[in-house]
Amino acid sequence: MATQTAYFPGCSLKTVDRAYDVSTRIIARDLGLNLVEVQDYACCGAGELKGEGLKSHFLPGRNLGHLLEQGQSEVMVSCNVCYHELSRTAYAWSQDPKTAQAINGMLESVGEPPVNRRPSVRNTLEYLVSVVGLESIGQKVKRPLSGLKVAPYYGCLYHRPGQMVSSIQIAGEDTEHPHFMHDLLSVLGATVVSHPAETTCCGGKNLLSDERLAGKLTGRILSQAKESGADVLSLMCPKCAGGLDALQFRAIQEAGEAARLPVMYYTQLIGIALGHSAEEVYVGDMESRALELIRRMIPSDQGTLIEK
Amino acid sequence: MAKGAGIVERSLVSDDQIMEFDNLVMDGIDISGRWNTMLKSRVHGERDWQAWDEVRQNLVGTSIDNCIQCGLCTAGCTVGHEVPEFNPRQFIYWVKIGRTEELKKNADVVWRCVGCYNCTHHCPKGVNTAEVIEVIGQWLRKTVPNRMDPAYHANHRSYRHRLQTGGRLSLPVLQAEFLRELGRQRELMGPEFKKVAIKMLRDGRAIKTLMIGRPRHWSKNRKVLSEMEG
């Protein structure tokens, strides 16, 4: 029987990062999840409004209100920024009745549905590991990623700050050294390459305004992953993808050729392992040379991955 | 030699606090040479509580009361590793003792926080450091906007403008607006951006971006967001 859960893609996944959205949906279908999209979504605030106090909860609160109005109480989120923003507001709402009242006051003043209970905000990675389960994902692998050396990269907002009691903590994730993506990639048959930059920040918040700093930070992540022997960096946040993939040329400007590395969403890697083609999970959308890598690894659509 | 080169943690001391002498005789004793560098005493008279008031009235700001100045936030800071002047422990100290002049001098440093929450995550006293630093940055933007990088203002304005008008973020439009604000729109025609633009036009993502749409009843909703400015 299919498990039903609400799903919040967010602005990036709806547009330039469709690869993350489509691959999430494809693997969800394969794994027996029935995703119900949150209707009439707004931006989550993208971390830009967090200095605005109460107002910073308006956009996430609006999304949570719509979720509840749709009769859902649990939402799966792929984007780390959206996951953080929605968790942050759900946490603030539950911490203090006065804050909860003020958030609802704002929502009701413009005719939006209120948040009348604390919804459960889940991260897709955590949902796959703790609800679907590594074992049943392993059983569905048709094309093991053997020989592919993958460096997991979590970014920041998946596991920080640890004070929010977010879903990953409830699921038993380590907020100091996260390992769910490591576990998942090993089940897919990939060689997981640990590296020192798994949770260092990519500078995404100031990607536009502080481009040299962002270039230095992304350059460090990419070069450390590559130095550790990775063929590909596996990520889970569209904001990180902005710096690590789309604007990888800036990382190369700062850190040199050592920072040139294919980058993919972990959901795309799952999709490939579950037997889908590179086209189905839009590997070609990545700016880095991910498609070349996958083509080299999978000689034909039906074939298994072979070692280089 | 650079001014104050012998000072340990030189980045924590600003130039105008350092006095250097070629030849110095004090009370008849020649103390030239190694002892020729001095720091001005840090006695401060006027305290100014504007920044404190601003932080304390913010929803997360009250957590600043818990700060014990241990410096864990700064030890693990992403930006601090790259920008030595970026020192969240010191920013909080200045707020707490009313030294807003020092904050204003560093207005072009404070905004460079990347929001990675390493500080908040590791704070042993439960200060939401990342958000407190953001609030200090917002206060500086209102108080001494001219001391901050135009790129910061362009980023701030274009994000908010997109959020208020569209309710959803279209990243290519945001980037174009950011560069236009800075008069750098020609960069969009550079080889890297052009390559991405052509690719997105071909693979259909450009259309998806233009069709992102707006949430229902957005004109009402945006009122809440527009009240933020001011």
Side-chain angles (χ1 to χ4, degrees), chain A residues 45-57:
Chain A
E48 277 299 312
L49 307 178
K50 66 176 184 284
E52 302 284 352
L54 184 63
K55 292 275 168 67
S56 68
H57 294 296

Side-chain angles (χ1 to χ4, degrees), chain A residues 11 14 16 18 40-41 43 48 50-52 62 88 112 160 162-163 176 210-211 220 284 286, chain B residues 58 82 112-113 116-118 120-122 131 160 167-169 184 199 203 205 208 216 221:
Chain A
C11 311
K14 283 289 205 180
V16 290
R18 67 169 173 198
D40 192 28
Y41 76 102
C43 174
E48 277 299 312
K50 66 176 184 284
E52 302 284 352
R62 183 187 185 280
R88 177 179 174 272
E112 295 296 333
R160 282 195 294 259
Q163 288 86 342
E176 213 56 60
D210 208 353
E211 49 192 72
R220 189 197 292 156
M286 309 313 280
Chain B
N58 186 279
E82 303 290 342
R112 298 182 75 181
C113 169
C116 72
Y117 282 89
N118 252 331
T120 304
H121 186 69
H122 289 121
E131 297 184 16
R160 271 147 224 262
R168 292 172 188 164
L169 282 183
R184 281 166 49 189
K199 186 174 167 184
D203 69 21
R205 279 182 291 165
K208 273 181 95 107
R216 264 186 297 150
N221 277 239

Side-chain angles (χ1 to χ4, degrees), chain A:
Chain A
M1 202 186 79
T3 316
Q4 199 202 63
T5 183
Y7 168 60
F8 185 83
C11 311
S12 285
L13 274 69
K14 283 289 205 180
T15 54
V16 290
D17 292 289
R18 67 169 173 198
Y20 198 12
D21 180 43
V22 171
S23 54
T24 302
R25 289 175 196 268
I26 285 181
I27 61 171
R29 197 187 54 211
D30 288 357
L31 298 170
L33 298 177
N34 180 16
L35 302 184
V36 182
E37 194 176 320
V38 177
Q39 295 301 312
D40 192 28
Y41 76 102
C43 174
C44 66
E48 277 299 312
L49 307 178
K50 66 176 184 284
E52 302 284 352
L54 184 63
K55 292 275 168 67
S56 68
H57 294 296
F58 174 69
L59 289 171
R62 183 187 185 280
N63 288 320
L64 294 177
H66 280 259
L67 168 81
L68 294 168
E69 200 191 37
Q70 259 174 266
Q72 306 285 334
S73 58
E74 177 185 80
V75 62
M76 185 178 102
V77 191
S78 282
C79 168
N80 276 2
V81 184
C82 301
Y83 172 64
H84 169 83
E85 287 281 353
L86 298 181
S87 305
R88 177 179 174 272
T89 295
Y91 176 68
W93 184 92
S94 69
Q95 271 311 92
D96 174 22
K98 266 198 280 185
T99 307
Q101 226 172 32
I103 294 172
N104 284 341
M106 270 191 306
L107 293 171
E108 279 161 357
S109 74
V110 290
E112 295 296 333
V115 181
N116 42 32
R117 55 184 284 208
R118 181 181 179 171
S120 160
V121 181
R122 316 277 307 245
N123 187 290
T124 301
L125 175 60
E126 170 265 315
Y127 202 84
L128 293 178
V129 172
S130 65
V131 178
V132 179
L134 292 172
E135 204 176 316
S136 56
I137 296 175
Q139 283 162 2
K140 296 226 165 70
V141 172
K142 291 191 186 132
R143 188 197 278 149
L145 305 177
S146 23
L148 190 64
K149 297 192 215 59
V150 188
Y153 175 68
Y154 296 88
C156 302
L157 300 177
Y158 166 66
H159 56 295
R160 282 195 294 259
Q163 288 86 342
M164 296 196 310
V165 205
S166 54
S167 67
I168 63 146
Q169 280 166 286
I170 296 167
E173 176 67 294
D174 184 339
T175 55
E176 213 56 60
H177 302 285
H179 55 80
F180 280 3
M181 203 196 293
H182 289 69
D183 303 347
L184 189 54
L185 293 168
S186 345
V187 164
L188 305 180
T191 309
V192 180
V193 178
S194 286
H195 61 103
E198 282 164 10
T199 63
T200 52
C201 180
C202 70
K205 178 168 174 287
N206 292 343
L207 195 59
L208 298 177
S209 50
D210 208 353
E211 49 192 72
R212 286 209 58 193
L213 180 63
K216 274 187 191 168
L217 296 172
T218 49
R220 189 197 292 156
I221 295 160
L222 291 162
S223 56
Q224 285 189 340
K226 193 171 174 178
E227 211 173 285
S228 306
D231 297 323
V232 58
L233 187 78
S234 157
L235 49 74
M236 56 185 301
C237 171
K239 211 159 191 170
C240 301
L244 292 164
D245 183 68
L247 301 177
Q248 195 178 95
F249 67 90
R250 286 197 185 142
I252 295 168
Q253 276 164 11
E254 295 293 331
E257 281 301 309
R260 194 183 293 283
L261 186 70
V263 173
M264 281 170 76
Y265 288 106
Y266 75 99
T267 47
Q268 291 177 303
L269 288 166
I270 303 175
I272 301 276
L274 296 184
H276 295 282
S277 68
E279 286 71 25
E280 277 177 275
V281 290
Y282 289 108
V283 181
D285 275 10
M286 309 313 280
E287 282 305 315
S288 56
R289 295 172 184 168
L291 190 59
E292 259 172 66
L293 172 79
I294 294 300
R295 286 262 164 77
R296 209 163 60 230
M297 300 297 290
I298 318 170
S300 77
D301 257 3
Q302 303 308 315
T304 50
L305 282 171
I306 49 160
E307 280 186 57
K308 279 187 285 188

